[in-house]
């Protein structure tokens, strides 16, 4: 660590002499020092290597002044010697000798002066003089910092970022930038020099917000880190301190006043909220957008100038690895960040094409710049469980355990069904997350990045009636979208990654309480389909359908079915249709549990599990279910969030990671015996918003048989 100092007599020395002293950063003997915070003007700032030029120029200037002063002295002495001979005070020979010596000295001085002006100046000193003249404003800031530190605050040393870092050494530059926050935090006093703030007389409340210092990225940590901060105007007049101006500073910067007063620390605030403090700040170099925030998040990272905004994506990954705070996903994309393009945008983070005048709603999971976090100024975050702390970051994205919330809406209403990535955050006491879309097996992208998803009041004990939450799921969050997809030439990552899809369409007469779809890795809640990402792997899917047919105002007919579909993505699928009515509830739980543990391409294993557990109850595409009409009060109530199916469309929701034994109940046998005919019809339906090939439709039809119940209920078609 380099520190600057001046001698105690510097106030009487013109110009004062600066001295650079090196200290070991790890040494406990580093003295108290003052530190300067200012806005850079690259044309006038003084680098470490340029400090000796100022010293040499000052010494040369002193010698030149001495020579210039010597000339009239010699002239006066010569004149005196001649006058002394005239009046007879000295002999002639002595007067001539003195005159000759003085003339010779005068000639030597004149030759030195001529040589300096016509030879030295044109080769070296002239360039130095021009540089010193150009850099004088920056050098004056350094001198004023040292003078005020020593004579106003009794601090012998000072640190100035322009000349205390050797920027020609990449190792030292990396170390200094990573330690910058600590340098400011350990300083005894910080001087903030506002070069565009006029001297006293202006209304500080109106003039201070206009200062350029509040728009620069590096000055954010320079305001937060030091304990004692003093603000100076253009002429170095003191205008206030961080403590006395905390209210005004909070209003200008959005930083909580408690933090400025030292009552809280940066770690007490959500990651996204800290990012919002930098949302309106800029840096000269794109990479510094990330590097200036290292201390705010207490992280370290290598410096790679030339990577552009890739540095900010790296910063977000480092933050994710260092904390369990997931509010870093809470951001929105501004209008200036939305672009229509045929490839990667400036940040390499998104691919869009123009469709109906609007960009496609896809984005990587990480923000492109701090500007995206402006929406998080009042964000609060809760402590998450340790299960969400583990993650791994690879070239395809961030693999981590996430909590997903499914918000079910009517067809065509708002955004339809929503899959929300929960960030355990709230805005104005309302839980908030971001919408995501599944593009391939377990991989998610940000959906409609210009908006957030709100899904219930935080800190309330009332159950949410319109959501269904999974327990946990291991997902890969995409950090960079591909530009080429295997099944589509467009920029749609959903359709481009899907070769085929299968959808279960339920009978509208069936009041569905729960429909669990598995395997969950290839189930898309938004499109209500299973999808396949290639045309060679043998895939499977299964549905547990729990519902009821209305019988009378007080009674109903329970329906519990299992629908399996084997090898549906490579040829005409094999269908397994089974009634779960006479299957022991324990075996139902076992079947669901075993299937939930299988991979999407474990087709043979899935078929073996279905055959072994459902042995004797299997049928092709039709079966007859024998059950009883029971009182509606005997049907278990949903714990998953109310009715999730409506008359305009049937949508399945994903089940939790473990079985839900509450739905595997025994139908009371005291009611009237009824028989329900179940048919499953296959057809193909074109839907270019789901995949490039036709969607395989499984149409489930129900029909009551026998006696007074022998009437068709809501057959499809």
């Amino acid at each position: 660590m380099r520190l600057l100092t001046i001698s105690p007599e510097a106030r009487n020395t013109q110009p004062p002499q600066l001295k650079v002293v090196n200290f070991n950063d790890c040494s406990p003997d580093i003295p108290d020092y003052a530190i300067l915070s200012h806005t850079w003007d690259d044309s006038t700032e003084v680098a470490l290597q340029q400090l000796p030029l100022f010293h040499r120029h000052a010494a040369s200037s002193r010698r030149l002044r001495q020579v210039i002063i010597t000339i009239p002295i010699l002239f006066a002495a010569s004149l005196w010697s001649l006058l002394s001979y005239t009046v007879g005070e000295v002999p002639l020979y002595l007067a001539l000798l003195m005159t000759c010596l003085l003339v010779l000295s005068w000639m030597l001085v004149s030759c030195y002066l001529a040589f300096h002006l016509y030879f030295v100046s044109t080769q070296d000193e002239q360039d130095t003089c021009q540089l010193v003249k150009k850099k004088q404003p920056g050098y004056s800031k350094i001198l004023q910092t040292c003078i005020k530190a020593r004579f106003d605050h009794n601090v012998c040393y000072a640190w100035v970022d322009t000349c205390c870092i050797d920027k020609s050494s990449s190792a030292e530059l990396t170390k200094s930038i990573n330690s910058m926050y600590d340098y400011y935090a350990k300083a005894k006093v910080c001087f903030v020099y506002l070069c565009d703030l006029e001297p006293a007389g202006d209304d500080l409340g109106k003039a201070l917000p206009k200062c350029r210092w509040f728009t620069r990225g590096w000055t954010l940590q320079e305001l937060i880190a030091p304990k004692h901060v003093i603000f100076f105007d253009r002429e170095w007049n003191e205008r206030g301190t961080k403590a006395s101006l905390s209210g005004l500073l909070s209003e200008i910067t959005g930083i909580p006043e408690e933090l400025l007063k030292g009552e809280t620390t940066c770690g007490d605030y959500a990651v996204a909220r800290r990012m919002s403090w930098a949302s309106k700040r800029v840096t000269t170099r794109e990479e510094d957008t990330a590097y200036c925030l290292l201390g705010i998040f207490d992280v370290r990272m290598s410096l790679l100038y030339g990577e552009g905004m890739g540095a900010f994506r790296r910063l977000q990954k480092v933050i994710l690895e260092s904390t369990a705070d997931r509010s870093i996903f809470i951001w929105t994309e501004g209008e200036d960040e939305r672009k229509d393009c045929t490839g990667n945008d400036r940040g390499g983070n998104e691919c869009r094409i123009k469709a109906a005048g609007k960009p496609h709603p896809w984005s990587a999971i990480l923000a492109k710049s701090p500007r995206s976090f402006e929406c998080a100024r009042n964000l609060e975050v809760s402590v998450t469980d340790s299960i969400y702390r583990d993650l791994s970051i690879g070239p395809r994205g961030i693999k981590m355990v996430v909590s997903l919330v499914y918000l079910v809406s009517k067809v065509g209403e708002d955004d339809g069904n929503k899959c929300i990535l929960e960030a355990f955050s709230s805005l104005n006491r309302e839980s908030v997350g971001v919408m995501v879309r599944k593009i391939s097996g377990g991989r998610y992208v940000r959906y409609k990045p210009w908006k957030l998803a709100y899904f219930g009041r935080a800190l309330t004990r009332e159950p949410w009636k319109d959501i269904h939450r999974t327990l946990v799921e291991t997902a890969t969050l995409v950090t960079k979208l591909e530009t080429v997809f295997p099944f589509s030439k467009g920029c749609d990552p959903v359709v481009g990654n899907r070769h085929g899809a299968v959808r279960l369409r339920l009978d509208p007469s069936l009041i569905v309480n729960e429909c669990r779809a598995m395997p969950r890795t290839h189930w898309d809640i938004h499109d209500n389909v299973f999808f396949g990402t290639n045309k060679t792997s043998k895939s499977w899917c299964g549905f547990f359908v729990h519902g009821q047919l209305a019988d009378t105002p007080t009674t109903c007919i329970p329906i519990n079915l299992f629908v399996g579909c084997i090898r549906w993505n490579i040829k005409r699928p094999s269908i397994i249709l089974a009634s779960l009515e006479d299957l022991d509830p324990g075996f139902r739980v076992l079947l669901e549990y075993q299937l939930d543990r299988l991979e999407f391409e474990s087709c043979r294993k899935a078929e073996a599990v279905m055959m072994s557990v459902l042995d004797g109850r299997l049928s092709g595409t039709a079966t007859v279910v024998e059950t009883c009409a029971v009182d509606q009060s005997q049907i278990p109530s949903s714990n998953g969030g109310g009715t999730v199916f409506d008359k305009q469309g049937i949508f399945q929701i994903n089940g939790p990671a473990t079985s839900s034994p509450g739905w595997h109940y025994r139908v009371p046998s005291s009611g009237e015996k009824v028989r329900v005919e179940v048919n499953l019809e296959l057809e193909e339906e074109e839907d270019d918003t789901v995949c490039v090939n036709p969607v395989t439709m499984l149409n489930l039809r129900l029909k009551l048989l026998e006696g007074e119940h022998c009437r068709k209920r809501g057959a499809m078609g």
Side-chain angles (χ1 to χ4, degrees):
M1 183 180 188
R2 294 183 182 84
L3 294 177
L4 303 173
T5 185
I6 56 176
S7 63
E9 299 80 15
R11 181 168 285 184
N12 301 321
T13 305
Q14 294 298 329
Q17 292 298 302
L18 286 174
K19 183 180 179 182
V20 180
V21 184
N22 292 315
F23 291 93
N24 187 346
D25 287 355
C26 301
S27 173
D29 300 328
I30 295 179
D32 291 340
Y33 60 90
I35 200 165
L36 176 65
S37 175
H38 61 115
T39 54
W40 278 41
D41 181 358
D42 290 336
S43 62
T44 63
E45 301 302 338
V46 179
L48 176 65
Q49 291 79 6
Q50 294 170 339
L51 280 180
L53 297 180
F54 282 84
H55 298 160
R56 289 200 300 268
H57 178 73
S60 177
S61 298
R62 284 196 299 271
R63 290 195 300 269
L64 188 60
R65 284 196 299 270
Q66 293 172 357
V67 169
I68 294 174
I69 293 173
T70 303
I71 292 176
I73 294 177
L74 292 175
F75 179 78
S78 301
L79 184 63
W80 174 80
S81 64
L82 292 175
L83 292 176
S84 298
Y85 168 75
T86 303
V87 296
E89 293 183 357
V90 295
L92 176 62
Y93 75 92
L94 185 60
L96 292 174
L97 179 63
M98 292 179 60
T99 302
C100 290
L101 291 175
L102 291 173
V103 169
L104 181 62
S105 299
W106 194 358
M107 292 176 61
L108 291 175
V109 170
S110 300
C111 290
Y112 173 83
L113 183 61
F115 177 79
H116 178 82
L117 293 176
Y118 292 101
F119 291 94
V120 177
S121 296
T122 57
Q123 297 175 12
D124 184 28
E125 289 295 325
Q126 187 174 1
D127 294 337
T128 302
C129 290
Q130 291 178 354
L131 179 64
V132 169
K133 183 178 180 180
K134 180 180 179 181
K135 300 284 186 177
Q136 193 59 43
Y139 191 69
S140 298
K141 286 191 292 187
I142 299 173
L143 288 178
Q144 284 293 334
T145 300
C146 295
I147 291 172
K148 284 193 172 294
R150 176 173 283 277
F151 299 110
D152 294 350
H153 297 273
N154 197 28
V155 178
C156 298
Y157 296 91
W159 190 91
V160 181
D161 53 1
T162 56
C163 61
C164 289
I165 302 175
D166 184 2
K167 300 176 182 63
S168 63
S169 170
S170 59
E172 182 174 338
L173 181 62
T174 299
K175 179 182 177 182
S176 298
I177 288 181
N178 278 279
S179 304
M180 192 78 69
Y181 187 90
D182 293 335
Y183 289 169
Y184 279 87
K186 295 176 181 179
K188 186 173 183 181
V189 60
C190 176
F191 301 144
V192 175
Y193 176 64
L194 305 175
C195 60
D196 50 355
L197 181 63
E198 295 300 322
D202 295 339
D203 183 359
L204 195 61
K206 294 181 179 179
L208 198 62
K210 299 178 182 179
C211 291
R212 181 170 172 259
W213 188 83
F214 292 100
T215 66
R216 307 304 296 174
W218 287 105
T219 58
L220 175 61
Q221 64 179 0
E222 296 168 9
L223 172 62
I224 295 175
K227 295 179 181 179
H228 184 37
V229 180
I230 304 175
F231 291 86
F232 293 91
D233 59 28
R234 179 169 55 85
E235 295 183 358
W236 285 93
N237 300 308
E238 183 175 334
R239 302 300 296 273
T241 65
K242 182 168 75 168
S244 63
L245 299 173
S246 59
L248 179 59
L249 295 175
S250 177
E251 182 181 343
I252 297 172
T253 62
I255 302 173
E257 190 172 352
E258 296 80 8
L259 178 59
L260 296 176
K261 290 181 176 180
E263 299 172 359
T264 58
T265 63
C266 282
D268 295 329
Y269 299 91
V271 168
R273 187 171 184 179
R274 280 179 271 173
M275 283 287 189
S276 71
W277 302 338
S279 61
K280 295 183 178 180
R281 294 175 180 262
V282 295
T283 57
T284 303
R285 305 182 70 168
E286 286 186 328
E287 296 85 355
D288 287 338
T289 302
Y291 303 153
C292 71
L293 299 176
L294 294 177
I296 301 296
F297 299 100
D298 193 21
V299 295
R300 303 289 184 267
M301 58 187 285
S302 59
L303 273 58
L304 298 174
Y305 282 104
E307 65 175 329
M309 292 308 295
F312 187 68
R313 289 195 297 276
R314 280 202 301 129
L315 172 65
Q316 295 175 83
K317 294 176 182 179
V318 172
I319 293 173
L320 278 169
E321 291 177 325
S322 66
T323 178
D325 186 338
R326 297 297 176 247
S327 66
I328 197 171
F329 300 126
I330 304 298
W331 54 269
T332 56
E333 192 178 75
E335 291 290 341
D336 58 332
E337 295 177 286
R338 281 186 246 166
K339 298 180 181 180
D340 300 325
C341 64
T342 57
N344 282 350
D345 65 357
R346 183 170 59 90
N349 204 27
E350 190 166 350
C351 180
R352 302 179 185 279
I353 60 173
K354 204 162 188 179
K358 295 182 179 180
H360 274 306
W362 322 116
S363 174
I365 199 66
L366 298 178
K368 290 187 286 186
S369 74
R371 294 193 303 273
S372 301
F373 290 92
E374 188 174 357
C375 63
R377 287 191 176 272
N378 297 316
L379 190 76
E380 296 181 1
V381 66
S382 60
V383 179
T384 60
D385 191 87
S386 59
I387 192 174
Y388 302 105
R389 294 178 182 267
D390 297 330
L391 57 86
S392 60
I393 300 177
R396 291 174 62 84
I398 304 168
K399 187 176 182 179
M400 58 185 294
V401 177
V402 298
S403 175
L404 298 177
V405 174
Y406 298 123
L407 205 62
V408 183
S409 303
K410 294 182 179 180
V411 178
E413 180 180 291
D414 192 22
D415 302 304
N417 287 0
K418 306 180 188 70
C419 181
I420 302 172
L421 175 64
E422 186 175 14
F424 305 96
S425 305
S426 62
L427 276 173
N428 301 320
R429 298 182 61 84
E430 189 170 5
S431 297
V432 64
V434 295
M435 290 186 289
V436 293
R437 286 290 305 273
K438 187 178 290 185
I439 61 172
S440 60
R443 298 179 68 223
Y444 290 86
V445 297
R446 178 75 185 271
Y447 180 58
K448 294 192 175 180
W450 52 84
K451 64 190 303 184
L452 300 176
Y454 297 88
F455 56 95
R457 286 283 172 182
L459 306 178
T460 178
R461 296 184 178 181
E462 296 183 4
W464 300 322
K465 297 183 178 181
D466 57 347
I467 69 170
H468 182 87
R469 185 196 308 269
T470 64
L471 296 182
V472 292
E473 180 175 333
T474 301
T476 300
L477 307 176
V478 176
T479 55
K480 184 177 181 180
L481 292 184
E482 297 91 345
T483 58
V484 179
F485 305 104
F487 305 114
S488 174
K489 295 182 179 180
C491 281
D492 189 335
V494 175
V495 176
N497 282 299
R498 295 179 179 179
H499 176 262
V502 61
R503 173 182 289 161
L504 176 64
R505 181 181 292 162
L506 299 176
D507 193 313
S509 65
L510 181 65
I511 303 173
V512 181
N513 300 115
E514 191 90 355
C515 182
R516 301 191 185 278
M518 55 187 61
R520 294 176 293 123
T521 56
H522 287 67
W523 170 255
D524 182 20
I525 175 62
H526 192 276
D527 290 330
N528 183 36
V529 296
F530 277 106
F531 59 85
T533 56
N534 62 65
K535 53 185 177 182
T536 58
S537 300
K538 299 177 181 179
S539 305
W540 69 278
C541 63
F543 300 89
F544 288 85
V545 182
H546 304 283
Q548 53 191 281
L549 293 174
D551 184 42
T552 68
T554 59
T555 62
C556 63
I557 301 171
I559 299 294
N560 293 285
L561 299 172
F562 174 78
V563 179
C565 194
I566 308 296
R567 292 178 290 275
W568 57 266
N569 62 321
I570 60 174
K571 61 181 182 180
R572 185 174 177 83
S574 300
I575 302 299
I576 295 178
L577 178 62
S579 171
L580 303 178
E581 295 297 340
D582 54 348
L583 184 65
D584 186 272
F587 284 97
R588 299 185 198 175
V589 174
L590 178 63
L591 175 62
E592 185 177 347
Y593 177 75
Q594 289 185 340
L595 290 178
D596 191 59
R597 294 171 62 88
L598 297 179
E599 299 292 337
F600 180 63
E601 296 180 354
S602 301
C603 185
R604 291 186 178 181
K605 292 182 180 180
E607 186 176 14
V609 170
M610 298 177 193
M611 298 293 288
S612 61
V613 177
L614 299 173
D615 183 36
R617 300 172 181 82
L618 299 176
S619 60
T621 59
T623 187
V624 175
V625 178
E626 292 187 357
T627 182
C628 299
V630 300
D631 191 278
Q632 294 182 3
S633 61
Q634 295 178 283
I635 302 296
S637 60
S638 172
N639 296 323
T643 303
V644 295
F645 297 83
D646 56 75
K647 295 181 180 180
Q648 297 188 42
I650 305 296
F651 290 92
Q652 288 81 42
I653 59 175
N654 192 4
T658 58
S659 301
S660 178
W663 284 108
H664 299 291
Y665 58 91
R666 291 184 182 274
V667 176
S669 59
S670 57
E672 179 185 359
K673 297 290 184 179
V674 294
R675 299 176 69 203
V676 180
E677 183 181 84
V678 182
N679 290 283
L680 196 63
E681 298 180 355
L682 276 70
E683 66 178 11
E684 291 186 347
E685 185 176 284
E686 296 285 347
D687 191 343
D688 58 5
T689 64
V690 175
C691 66
V692 294
N693 295 314
V695 179
T696 300
M697 302 296 299
L698 306 178
N699 297 321
L700 189 67
R701 296 185 178 184
L702 303 178
K703 180 180 180 181
L704 286 178
L705 303 176
E706 296 185 2
E708 63 178 339
H709 296 288
C710 188
R711 55 183 180 272
K712 190 174 182 180
R713 290 186 178 269
M716 301 183 61

